[in-house]
Structures are given as structure tokens and as C-alpha cells.
Amino acid sequence: MGSAKPGESRVTDRWRGKWALVTGASAGIGSALARNLAGGGCNLVLTARRRERMDELASELIASYGIAAEIVTADLTLPNAPKEIFEFTTGRKIAIQLLANNAGYGAYGYFNEIDLQRQLEMVQVNCSAVIHLTHLFLPQMLERGSGDILIVASTAAFQAVPFISTYAATKGFDLLLGEALFEEFASRGVHVCVLCPGPTTSEFHAVSKSPSGPSKHFEAAEKVAQVGLEGLVRGKSSVVSGTLNNIQVQALRLAPRRTVTGAAARMFRPKEKTG
Ligand SMILES: NC(=O)c1ccc[n+]([C@@H]2O[C@H](COP(=O)([O-])OP(=O)(O)OC[C@H]3O[C@@H](n4cnc5c(N)ncnc54)[C@H](OP(=O)(O)O)[C@@H]3O)[C@@H](O)[C@H]2O)c1
């Protein structure tokens, strides 16, 4: 649960009294972002599909930190969901200062064996919804001359990753989109930062049916969330969470692409298909 205490000095003081919208707020990194922001006095609009989870989180954060919180249930596989989320905020005259595009999921296995609909919906949630929400909320930020947009990608964004092929490609998309938007809008007061976590303890691995479940080498979602918010405050266009993950990402740049992808294939290949 949240470690922040009311009044504690923290990076999220930047958003004290403002509103943040966190997608994927019902679990993992999204819940951690919400807790961190609430600890800094930031009001929250939480969105995901699982309402009960968000009700519990909102009650906890309102009681602990005295913030305001609103919940909008939305399924981001549905193309109209970003517009409904946007209209929820404008209908309540909530000005979103920080948009955290965090919702996402992966799917593990041979490309041809992963349900097609699941992969197409993954592109909708991980990519199209990020474009759509960002496109909707950016104009009000530009008008104010201030705003922050966090996009959660992954260390999988830096290379092709066989057996999570579509997922890694969606995260590569998020990274390139966010880094480009950083350059387009930084001079107009809107800051975009892409957070690239490595393996992190959350529901992600169960949802993606990955054989490598959470282990002691995984980072805590709370730490990853803190790195992303610090990235925004420090004016970074992208941040990789964790020292080892940073070293790995840097090392990838030095090796031939085929070598890197081949190594990833050996690491991720389903056991029953070898030999
Ligand atoms: N965990 C890792 O190892 C890791 C590493 C790198 C990057 N990431 C990225 O971090 C982000 C957060 O993942 P996590 O690790 O926190 O995973 P998680 O615990 O599974 O949480 C994922 C969140 O996304 C929401 N979500 C999924 N599908 C959705 C949909 N169709 N509509 C609306 N919301 C949806 C889920 O809410 P509902 O199910 O309630 O809708 C949940 O709140 C993702 O973008 C992921 O790609 C994770």
C-alpha cells in the first residue's frame, strides 16, 4: 500500500491541488501512480474497467490524503472510450494537468497462436487510445500553456521481442510517439515523458500469460511510478526505470540488431517448442 504520508515533501508536489487522469488505475503501476500523486495532494480521475478496485482505491486515497477523486469506468478496446473519458472530465469542468497514459497489456506466445482479436485490441489499448486521449487533452494544456503527459512504454520498446512480438511493437510505437511529442510541445509548456519499466511486480505477467511470473528481480510498481513522475519533473523525454534496465538498454545500442533479437528469442521461446 502507499508509503507516502500527508505533507511529505515529494516530487508529486508539482501537481498539488491540480487534477491528474490515470488510465489503468485499477492495478499495478497505475494504482501506484495514483497513490503517489494523491500523496502529493493531487486530485484524481481514475479509469479502467474494474470499478470496484477503483472505488476501493479512491476511498483509501480520499481518506488518507483529503484529495478529490472521480472514477470513470471505460474499456479502452472500444474506440469511443477515450472520447467518453474526455467528456466525463469536461462535463465536471475538471482541467486535467497530468494525463498518465498507463493502461496496457501484453500477450505471450507464438504470434500465430495468440488470438487475433486480442492482438488487435492490444494495439487499440496500447497505441490508438494513447493517441486519442493525448489528442483530446492536449489542446486544453496548450491553451493554458502548461500540462504534463506520461506515456508508459517498456524496456521492450527498444528492440523487437519474439514471442511478445505485437506487445513489444506497441511499446516501440509508444516510445517513438512520446519522444516526438516531447520535441513538438516542450517549448509551449506541455511536457511529455515516456516511462520505460523493465519487469515490474503487477498483474501484467498473469494477464499476458507469461511463463516468467513476478520474482525478486522485479521492480516494485511504486518505484517505477516514482521514476516516471520524476522524469516529468526533471524534463526528460524518456526514462528507463532501474539501473540494470538502463545498462541493458544502453548495451542494446552497441550490438547488431539481429544479434539482439536472436538473444531475445532464446530468452522468450516457449519451453515446449524447443528442440
Ligand atoms: N509489469 C511489467 O513488467 C511492465 C513492464 C513494462 C511496461 N509495463 C506497462 O505498464 C503499464 C501498466 O501495466 P501493469 O504492469 O501495471 O499491469 P497490470 O497490473 O495488469 O495493470 C494494467 C492496467 O491496465 C488496465 N487495462 C487493461 N486493459 C484495459 C482495457 N481494455 N481498458 C481499460 N483499461 C485496461 C487494467 O485495468 P482493468 O483490467 O480493470 O481494465 C489495469 O488497471 C502497461 O502499459 C504495461 O505495458 C509493465
Short mmCIF file of all heavy atoms in Angstrom, two decimals, residues 3-61:
data_model
loop_
_atom_site.label_atom_id
_atom_site.label_comp_id
_atom_site.label_asym_id
_atom_site.label_seq_id
_atom_site.Cartn_x
_atom_site.Cartn_y
_atom_site.Cartn_z
N SER A 3 3.16 4.39 0.72
CA SER A 3 4.08 4.69 1.80
C SER A 3 4.10 6.19 2.10
O SER A 3 4.65 6.61 3.08
CB SER A 3 5.49 4.22 1.43
OG SER A 3 5.86 4.82 0.21
N ALA A 4 3.49 6.97 1.22
CA ALA A 4 3.55 8.42 1.38
C ALA A 4 2.67 8.88 2.53
O ALA A 4 1.63 8.30 2.80
CB ALA A 4 3.09 9.10 0.10
N LYS A 5 3.15 9.88 3.24
CA LYS A 5 2.36 10.48 4.33
C LYS A 5 1.92 11.88 3.91
O LYS A 5 2.65 12.57 3.21
CB LYS A 5 3.23 10.57 5.59
CG LYS A 5 3.79 9.24 6.04
CD LYS A 5 2.74 8.40 6.73
CE LYS A 5 3.28 7.06 7.19
NZ LYS A 5 3.72 6.18 6.11
N PRO A 6 0.73 12.31 4.38
CA PRO A 6 0.29 13.65 4.03
C PRO A 6 1.34 14.68 4.47
O PRO A 6 1.92 14.56 5.54
CB PRO A 6 -1.01 13.83 4.83
CG PRO A 6 -1.46 12.43 5.13
CD PRO A 6 -0.23 11.59 5.24
N GLY A 7 1.58 15.64 3.59
CA GLY A 7 2.52 16.70 3.94
C GLY A 7 3.97 16.37 3.61
O GLY A 7 4.84 17.22 3.68
N GLU A 8 4.25 15.10 3.28
CA GLU A 8 5.62 14.70 2.98
C GLU A 8 6.08 15.42 1.71
O GLU A 8 5.34 15.53 0.75
CB GLU A 8 5.61 13.19 2.73
CG GLU A 8 6.98 12.56 2.62
CD GLU A 8 6.84 11.07 2.41
OE1 GLU A 8 5.95 10.47 3.06
OE2 GLU A 8 7.57 10.51 1.60
N SER A 9 7.32 15.91 1.73
CA SER A 9 7.85 16.59 0.55
C SER A 9 8.20 15.55 -0.50
O SER A 9 8.88 14.58 -0.24
CB SER A 9 9.09 17.38 0.94
OG SER A 9 9.70 17.87 -0.23
N ARG A 10 7.71 15.72 -1.71
CA ARG A 10 7.89 14.70 -2.72
C ARG A 10 7.77 15.33 -4.09
O ARG A 10 7.25 16.43 -4.26
CB ARG A 10 6.88 13.58 -2.54
CG ARG A 10 5.46 14.13 -2.42
CD ARG A 10 4.49 13.08 -1.99
NE ARG A 10 4.62 11.98 -2.89
CZ ARG A 10 4.51 10.70 -2.53
NH1 ARG A 10 4.27 10.40 -1.30
NH2 ARG A 10 4.63 9.74 -3.40
N VAL A 11 8.21 14.56 -5.07
CA VAL A 11 8.21 15.06 -6.44
C VAL A 11 6.80 15.43 -6.90
O VAL A 11 6.61 16.36 -7.68
CB VAL A 11 8.86 14.01 -7.36
CG1 VAL A 11 8.02 12.76 -7.45
CG2 VAL A 11 9.11 14.56 -8.73
N THR A 12 5.81 14.73 -6.38
CA THR A 12 4.44 14.95 -6.85
C THR A 12 3.81 16.23 -6.31
O THR A 12 2.69 16.54 -6.63
CB THR A 12 3.55 13.74 -6.53
OG1 THR A 12 3.81 13.35 -5.21
CG2 THR A 12 3.80 12.62 -7.49
N ASP A 13 4.53 16.97 -5.46
CA ASP A 13 4.04 18.29 -5.05
C ASP A 13 3.77 19.16 -6.27
O ASP A 13 2.98 20.11 -6.20
CB ASP A 13 5.05 18.99 -4.14
CG ASP A 13 4.94 18.48 -2.70
OD1 ASP A 13 3.93 17.81 -2.40
OD2 ASP A 13 5.85 18.72 -1.92
N ARG A 14 4.41 18.88 -7.37
CA ARG A 14 4.20 19.63 -8.61
C ARG A 14 2.72 19.69 -8.99
O ARG A 14 2.28 20.64 -9.64
CB ARG A 14 4.99 18.93 -9.73
CG ARG A 14 4.80 19.47 -11.14
CD ARG A 14 5.51 18.51 -12.07
NE ARG A 14 5.46 18.84 -13.48
CZ ARG A 14 6.42 19.48 -14.12
NH1 ARG A 14 7.47 19.91 -13.48
NH2 ARG A 14 6.34 19.68 -15.42
N TRP A 15 1.97 18.64 -8.62
CA TRP A 15 0.56 18.57 -9.05
C TRP A 15 -0.41 18.83 -7.90
O TRP A 15 -1.60 18.54 -8.01
CB TRP A 15 0.30 17.21 -9.70
CG TRP A 15 1.09 17.05 -10.97
CD1 TRP A 15 0.83 17.64 -12.17
CD2 TRP A 15 2.29 16.29 -11.14
NE1 TRP A 15 1.81 17.28 -13.08
CE2 TRP A 15 2.71 16.45 -12.48
CE3 TRP A 15 3.07 15.47 -10.30
CZ2 TRP A 15 3.86 15.84 -13.00
CZ3 TRP A 15 4.22 14.87 -10.81
CH2 TRP A 15 4.59 15.05 -12.14
N ARG A 16 0.10 19.37 -6.78
CA ARG A 16 -0.77 19.64 -5.62
C ARG A 16 -1.94 20.54 -6.02
O ARG A 16 -1.75 21.58 -6.65
CB ARG A 16 0.03 20.29 -4.49
CG ARG A 16 -0.74 20.44 -3.19
CD ARG A 16 0.15 20.94 -2.06
NE ARG A 16 1.16 19.96 -1.64
CZ ARG A 16 0.92 18.91 -0.87
NH1 ARG A 16 -0.30 18.70 -0.40
NH2 ARG A 16 1.88 18.07 -0.56
N GLY A 17 -3.15 20.10 -5.70
CA GLY A 17 -4.35 20.90 -5.99
C GLY A 17 -4.79 20.85 -7.45
O GLY A 17 -5.83 21.41 -7.81
N LYS A 18 -4.01 20.18 -8.29
CA LYS A 18 -4.38 20.04 -9.70
C LYS A 18 -5.06 18.67 -9.89
O LYS A 18 -5.23 17.91 -8.94
CB LYS A 18 -3.12 20.12 -10.57
CG LYS A 18 -2.28 21.38 -10.32
CD LYS A 18 -2.59 22.39 -11.37
CE LYS A 18 -1.97 23.75 -11.16
NZ LYS A 18 -0.58 23.85 -10.90
N TRP A 19 -5.42 18.37 -11.14
CA TRP A 19 -6.06 17.08 -11.45
C TRP A 19 -5.18 16.26 -12.38
O TRP A 19 -4.64 16.78 -13.36
CB TRP A 19 -7.41 17.32 -12.13
CG TRP A 19 -8.50 17.74 -11.20
CD1 TRP A 19 -8.81 19.01 -10.83
CD2 TRP A 19 -9.44 16.87 -10.54
NE1 TRP A 19 -9.88 19.00 -9.96
CE2 TRP A 19 -10.30 17.70 -9.77
CE3 TRP A 19 -9.65 15.48 -10.50
CZ2 TRP A 19 -11.34 17.19 -8.99
CZ3 TRP A 19 -10.68 14.97 -9.72
CH2 TRP A 19 -11.51 15.82 -8.97
N ALA A 20 -5.10 14.98 -12.07
CA ALA A 20 -4.42 14.02 -12.97
C ALA A 20 -5.42 12.96 -13.40
O ALA A 20 -6.29 12.56 -12.61
CB ALA A 20 -3.25 13.36 -12.25
N LEU A 21 -5.33 12.54 -14.64
CA LEU A 21 -6.11 11.40 -15.14
C LEU A 21 -5.16 10.22 -15.30
O LEU A 21 -4.16 10.32 -16.01
CB LEU A 21 -6.74 11.75 -16.49
CG LEU A 21 -7.34 10.58 -17.29
CD1 LEU A 21 -8.55 9.98 -16.57
CD2 LEU A 21 -7.77 11.05 -18.68
N VAL A 22 -5.47 9.12 -14.62
CA VAL A 22 -4.63 7.93 -14.69
C VAL A 22 -5.41 6.81 -15.33
O VAL A 22 -6.44 6.37 -14.80
CB VAL A 22 -4.15 7.49 -13.28
CG1 VAL A 22 -3.26 6.26 -13.38
CG2 VAL A 22 -3.40 8.63 -12.58
N THR A 23 -4.95 6.32 -16.48
CA THR A 23 -5.60 5.16 -17.10
C THR A 23 -4.95 3.89 -16.53
O THR A 23 -3.78 3.90 -16.14
CB THR A 23 -5.48 5.18 -18.64
OG1 THR A 23 -4.13 4.89 -19.03
CG2 THR A 23 -5.93 6.51 -19.23
N GLY A 24 -5.72 2.83 -16.49
CA GLY A 24 -5.19 1.58 -15.91
C GLY A 24 -4.96 1.74 -14.42
O GLY A 24 -3.99 1.22 -13.86
N ALA A 25 -5.89 2.44 -13.75
CA ALA A 25 -5.69 2.79 -12.34
C ALA A 25 -6.14 1.68 -11.38
O ALA A 25 -6.00 1.82 -10.18
CB ALA A 25 -6.45 4.08 -12.02
N SER A 26 -6.67 0.58 -11.92
CA SER A 26 -7.21 -0.46 -11.04
C SER A 26 -6.15 -1.45 -10.57
O SER A 26 -6.46 -2.35 -9.78
CB SER A 26 -8.33 -1.22 -11.77
OG SER A 26 -7.79 -1.87 -12.91
N ALA A 27 -4.91 -1.32 -11.03
CA ALA A 27 -3.90 -2.31 -10.67
C ALA A 27 -2.50 -1.75 -10.92
O ALA A 27 -2.34 -0.70 -11.55
CB ALA A 27 -4.09 -3.59 -11.51
N GLY A 28 -1.51 -2.47 -10.41
CA GLY A 28 -0.10 -2.29 -10.76
C GLY A 28 0.42 -0.86 -10.77
O GLY A 28 0.25 -0.09 -9.81
N ILE A 29 1.07 -0.51 -11.87
CA ILE A 29 1.74 0.79 -11.98
C ILE A 29 0.73 1.94 -11.94
O ILE A 29 1.01 3.00 -11.37
CB ILE A 29 2.60 0.83 -13.28
CG1 ILE A 29 3.70 -0.24 -13.21
CG2 ILE A 29 3.22 2.21 -13.49
CD1 ILE A 29 4.42 -0.52 -14.53
N GLY A 30 -0.45 1.73 -12.49
CA GLY A 30 -1.48 2.77 -12.48
C GLY A 30 -1.93 3.09 -11.06
O GLY A 30 -2.05 4.27 -10.68
N SER A 31 -2.17 2.06 -10.26
CA SER A 31 -2.55 2.29 -8.85
C SER A 31 -1.42 3.00 -8.12
O SER A 31 -1.66 3.89 -7.31
CB SER A 31 -2.83 0.96 -8.14
OG SER A 31 -3.97 0.35 -8.68
N ALA A 32 -0.18 2.60 -8.43
CA ALA A 32 0.98 3.21 -7.77
C ALA A 32 1.12 4.68 -8.17
O ALA A 32 1.45 5.53 -7.34
CB ALA A 32 2.25 2.44 -8.12
N LEU A 33 0.85 4.98 -9.42
CA LEU A 33 0.88 6.39 -9.87
C LEU A 33 -0.18 7.18 -9.09
O LEU A 33 0.08 8.29 -8.62
CB LEU A 33 0.59 6.48 -11.37
CG LEU A 33 1.75 6.11 -12.32
CD1 LEU A 33 1.22 5.93 -13.75
CD2 LEU A 33 2.83 7.18 -12.30
N ALA A 34 -1.37 6.60 -8.98
CA ALA A 34 -2.46 7.28 -8.27
C ALA A 34 -2.09 7.54 -6.81
O ALA A 34 -2.31 8.63 -6.29
CB ALA A 34 -3.74 6.45 -8.37
N ARG A 35 -1.52 6.54 -6.15
CA ARG A 35 -1.13 6.70 -4.74
C ARG A 35 -0.08 7.78 -4.58
O ARG A 35 -0.13 8.61 -3.69
CB ARG A 35 -0.57 5.39 -4.20
CG ARG A 35 -1.60 4.35 -3.93
CD ARG A 35 -1.14 3.35 -2.87
NE ARG A 35 -2.28 2.55 -2.49
CZ ARG A 35 -2.64 1.44 -3.12
NH1 ARG A 35 -1.93 0.99 -4.13
NH2 ARG A 35 -3.71 0.78 -2.74
N ASN A 36 0.90 7.73 -5.47
CA ASN A 36 1.99 8.70 -5.41
C ASN A 36 1.45 10.13 -5.59
O ASN A 36 1.78 11.04 -4.83
CB ASN A 36 3.01 8.36 -6.50
CG ASN A 36 4.34 9.05 -6.30
OD1 ASN A 36 4.38 10.20 -5.89
ND2 ASN A 36 5.43 8.36 -6.60
N LEU A 37 0.61 10.28 -6.60
CA LEU A 37 0.05 11.61 -6.89
C LEU A 37 -0.83 12.09 -5.74
O LEU A 37 -0.76 13.25 -5.33
CB LEU A 37 -0.74 11.55 -8.19
CG LEU A 37 0.13 11.42 -9.46
CD1 LEU A 37 -0.70 10.92 -10.64
CD2 LEU A 37 0.78 12.76 -9.80
N ALA A 38 -1.66 11.19 -5.22
CA ALA A 38 -2.54 11.57 -4.11
C ALA A 38 -1.71 12.00 -2.90
O ALA A 38 -2.06 12.96 -2.20
CB ALA A 38 -3.45 10.40 -3.74
N GLY A 39 -0.60 11.32 -2.67
CA GLY A 39 0.29 11.66 -1.55
C GLY A 39 0.84 13.07 -1.69
O GLY A 39 1.20 13.71 -0.69
N GLY A 40 0.90 13.55 -2.92
CA GLY A 40 1.36 14.92 -3.17
C GLY A 40 0.20 15.89 -3.30
O GLY A 40 0.37 17.00 -3.80
N GLY A 41 -1.00 15.46 -2.90
CA GLY A 41 -2.14 16.39 -2.88
C GLY A 41 -2.79 16.60 -4.23
O GLY A 41 -3.51 17.59 -4.43
N CYS A 42 -2.58 15.69 -5.15
CA CYS A 42 -3.16 15.82 -6.49
C CYS A 42 -4.53 15.13 -6.54
O CYS A 42 -4.68 14.00 -6.06
CB CYS A 42 -2.21 15.17 -7.51
SG CYS A 42 -2.79 15.27 -9.21
N ASN A 43 -5.51 15.81 -7.10
CA ASN A 43 -6.84 15.21 -7.30
C ASN A 43 -6.78 14.26 -8.48
O ASN A 43 -5.99 14.46 -9.41
CB ASN A 43 -7.88 16.30 -7.55
CG ASN A 43 -7.92 17.30 -6.42
OD1 ASN A 43 -7.94 16.92 -5.25
ND2 ASN A 43 -7.91 18.58 -6.75
N LEU A 44 -7.65 13.25 -8.46
CA LEU A 44 -7.50 12.18 -9.45
C LEU A 44 -8.79 11.85 -10.19
O LEU A 44 -9.86 11.76 -9.57
CB LEU A 44 -7.05 10.90 -8.73
CG LEU A 44 -5.67 10.94 -8.07
CD1 LEU A 44 -5.50 9.74 -7.15
CD2 LEU A 44 -4.57 10.96 -9.14
N VAL A 45 -8.65 11.62 -11.48
CA VAL A 45 -9.67 10.90 -12.24
C VAL A 45 -9.07 9.54 -12.56
O VAL A 45 -8.02 9.45 -13.21
CB VAL A 45 -10.06 11.63 -13.54
CG1 VAL A 45 -11.11 10.83 -14.31
CG2 VAL A 45 -10.58 13.04 -13.25
N LEU A 46 -9.70 8.51 -12.04
CA LEU A 46 -9.21 7.14 -12.23
C LEU A 46 -10.05 6.46 -13.29
O LEU A 46 -11.28 6.54 -13.25
CB LEU A 46 -9.32 6.35 -10.92
CG LEU A 46 -8.67 6.98 -9.68
CD1 LEU A 46 -8.96 6.13 -8.44
CD2 LEU A 46 -7.17 7.15 -9.87
N THR A 47 -9.40 5.74 -14.19
CA THR A 47 -10.17 4.98 -15.18
C THR A 47 -9.54 3.62 -15.45
O THR A 47 -8.32 3.45 -15.41
CB THR A 47 -10.37 5.80 -16.49
OG1 THR A 47 -11.22 5.04 -17.36
CG2 THR A 47 -9.07 6.09 -17.19
N ALA A 48 -10.41 2.66 -15.68
CA ALA A 48 -10.07 1.27 -16.03
C ALA A 48 -11.42 0.57 -16.19
O ALA A 48 -12.47 1.25 -16.17
CB ALA A 48 -9.24 0.61 -14.93
N ARG A 49 -11.40 -0.76 -16.33
CA ARG A 49 -12.69 -1.48 -16.44
C ARG A 49 -13.24 -1.88 -15.07
O ARG A 49 -14.44 -1.89 -14.84
CB ARG A 49 -12.53 -2.72 -17.31
CG ARG A 49 -12.29 -2.42 -18.77
CD ARG A 49 -11.84 -3.64 -19.53
NE ARG A 49 -10.59 -4.16 -18.96
CZ ARG A 49 -9.92 -5.19 -19.43
NH1 ARG A 49 -10.38 -5.85 -20.48
NH2 ARG A 49 -8.79 -5.57 -18.86
N ARG A 50 -12.35 -2.25 -14.12
CA ARG A 50 -12.82 -2.82 -12.85
C ARG A 50 -13.17 -1.72 -11.84
O ARG A 50 -12.31 -1.18 -11.17
CB ARG A 50 -11.76 -3.77 -12.29
CG ARG A 50 -11.72 -5.09 -13.06
CD ARG A 50 -10.55 -5.93 -12.66
NE ARG A 50 -9.29 -5.36 -13.08
CZ ARG A 50 -8.10 -5.89 -12.81
NH1 ARG A 50 -8.02 -6.99 -12.09
NH2 ARG A 50 -7.00 -5.31 -13.25
N ARG A 51 -14.44 -1.43 -11.77
CA ARG A 51 -14.96 -0.32 -10.94
C ARG A 51 -14.67 -0.51 -9.45
O ARG A 51 -14.26 0.42 -8.76
CB ARG A 51 -16.47 -0.21 -11.19
CG ARG A 51 -17.19 0.74 -10.31
CD ARG A 51 -17.53 2.00 -11.04
NE ARG A 51 -17.66 3.13 -10.13
CZ ARG A 51 -17.88 4.36 -10.53
NH1 ARG A 51 -17.98 4.62 -11.81
NH2 ARG A 51 -18.00 5.34 -9.68
N GLU A 52 -14.90 -1.74 -8.96
CA GLU A 52 -14.75 -1.97 -7.50
C GLU A 52 -13.35 -1.64 -7.02
O GLU A 52 -13.16 -1.06 -5.96
CB GLU A 52 -15.06 -3.44 -7.18
CG GLU A 52 -16.49 -3.66 -6.81
CD GLU A 52 -16.77 -5.10 -6.45
OE1 GLU A 52 -15.87 -5.78 -5.91
OE2 GLU A 52 -17.90 -5.54 -6.72
N ARG A 53 -12.38 -2.09 -7.81
CA ARG A 53 -10.98 -1.80 -7.46
C ARG A 53 -10.75 -0.30 -7.33
O ARG A 53 -10.09 0.16 -6.42
CB ARG A 53 -10.04 -2.31 -8.58
CG ARG A 53 -9.99 -3.80 -8.76
CD ARG A 53 -9.03 -4.38 -7.72
NE ARG A 53 -8.59 -5.69 -8.14
CZ ARG A 53 -7.44 -5.92 -8.76
NH1 ARG A 53 -6.62 -4.94 -9.06
NH2 ARG A 53 -7.12 -7.15 -9.09
N MET A 54 -11.31 0.44 -8.27
CA MET A 54 -11.08 1.90 -8.26
C MET A 54 -11.87 2.56 -7.14
O MET A 54 -11.40 3.52 -6.54
CB MET A 54 -11.44 2.48 -9.63
CG MET A 54 -10.49 2.00 -10.72
SD MET A 54 -10.77 2.85 -12.28
CE MET A 54 -12.30 2.13 -12.82
N ASP A 55 -13.06 2.03 -6.85
CA ASP A 55 -13.84 2.55 -5.71
C ASP A 55 -13.02 2.42 -4.42
O ASP A 55 -12.92 3.35 -3.63
CB ASP A 55 -15.14 1.77 -5.55
CG ASP A 55 -16.22 2.25 -6.52
OD1 ASP A 55 -16.13 3.41 -6.98
OD2 ASP A 55 -17.14 1.47 -6.82
N GLU A 56 -12.42 1.24 -4.23
CA GLU A 56 -11.62 0.99 -3.02
C GLU A 56 -10.42 1.92 -2.96
O GLU A 56 -10.12 2.52 -1.92
CB GLU A 56 -11.09 -0.45 -3.03
CG GLU A 56 -12.04 -1.46 -2.45
CD GLU A 56 -11.51 -2.88 -2.61
OE1 GLU A 56 -10.28 -3.08 -2.55
OE2 GLU A 56 -12.34 -3.77 -2.83
N LEU A 57 -9.73 2.05 -4.09
CA LEU A 57 -8.54 2.90 -4.14
C LEU A 57 -8.92 4.36 -3.87
O LEU A 57 -8.27 5.04 -3.06
CB LEU A 57 -7.87 2.77 -5.52
CG LEU A 57 -6.61 3.62 -5.75
CD1 LEU A 57 -5.49 3.23 -4.77
CD2 LEU A 57 -6.11 3.45 -7.20
N ALA A 58 -9.97 4.81 -4.53
CA ALA A 58 -10.38 6.21 -4.35
C ALA A 58 -10.75 6.47 -2.89
O ALA A 58 -10.33 7.49 -2.31
CB ALA A 58 -11.57 6.52 -5.27
N SER A 59 -11.51 5.56 -2.27
CA SER A 59 -11.90 5.76 -0.86
C SER A 59 -10.67 5.86 0.02
O SER A 59 -10.57 6.72 0.90
CB SER A 59 -12.76 4.59 -0.37
OG SER A 59 -13.89 4.49 -1.17
N GLU A 60 -9.70 4.97 -0.24
CA GLU A 60 -8.47 4.96 0.56
C GLU A 60 -7.72 6.29 0.40
O GLU A 60 -7.27 6.89 1.39
CB GLU A 60 -7.58 3.80 0.08
CG GLU A 60 -6.22 3.74 0.75
CD GLU A 60 -5.21 2.95 -0.08
OE1 GLU A 60 -5.59 1.98 -0.76
OE2 GLU A 60 -4.02 3.33 -0.06
N LEU A 61 -7.61 6.76 -0.83
CA LEU A 61 -6.81 7.96 -1.08
C LEU A 61 -7.51 9.24 -0.60
O LEU A 61 -6.86 10.15 -0.09
CB LEU A 61 -6.47 8.06 -2.58
CG LEU A 61 -5.63 6.88 -3.11
CD1 LEU A 61 -5.33 7.06 -4.59
CD2 LEU A 61 -4.34 6.71 -2.32
#
